Amino acid sequence: GTTLDTATRTQRYILSELFSEFHLKKLSGRYVTTAIAVVTAAGLAFASGANGTGALALWPMFGAVNQLLAALALLVISIYLRHKGGSYWLISGLPCAFMILMTSWAMLINEMRFISEGQYLLAAINAFTMVLAGWMVVEAAEKIFRPVSEKNAAAA
């Protein structure tokens, strides 16, 4: 129950921020985002029938998404260190780049397999995850390669 609660809350927060970013105020409220989180989870759980094993279909994607989460943590650390100044950001930035590259490669292989096996729900979820990973890389690159001013370095 705790895991389900945490996953629902996390998805709710992410959806709320995403909808706010796109100025969709009516969709960013807690009740709407909670309903979306619960309905999508139920849809995945019962995608293969009433036995509730539909979410097991997501298992092949678990490894890639898990590594993507680790890369995100390294990315946050890299951005922080970059804005502190110096080249210390490379300590976390190089492993982060490697993890993003390998994870993206694995996700691309999964995507081709899902499509060839006719698993279109998995292909759609995996494609959406790849788009989010790409977005994450673009946003991070913008932050990392922006010139660091003396004022920003002192404030960090």
Side-chain angles (χ1 to χ4, degrees), residues 12-82:
R12 186 183 87 194
Y13 296 144
I14 291 169
L15 287 172
S16 179
E17 288 183 17
L18 187 63
F19 290 145
S20 293
E21 183 71 24
F22 287 108
H23 306 291
L24 301 170
K25 297 289 183 198
K26 293 187 185 228
L27 293 177
S28 65
R30 68 177 166 183
Y31 297 115
V32 174
T33 54
T34 301
I36 292 170
V38 171
V39 168
T40 55
L44 287 173
F46 297 110
S48 64
N51 61 5
T53 60
L56 293 176
L58 292 175
W59 191 250
M61 291 176 47
F62 176 77
V65 173
N66 193 33
Q67 293 304 308
L68 205 55
L69 185 61
L72 178 61
L74 287 172
L75 199 55
V76 169
I77 292 167
S78 299
I79 291 169
Y80 172 76
L81 290 175
R82 171 69 175 104

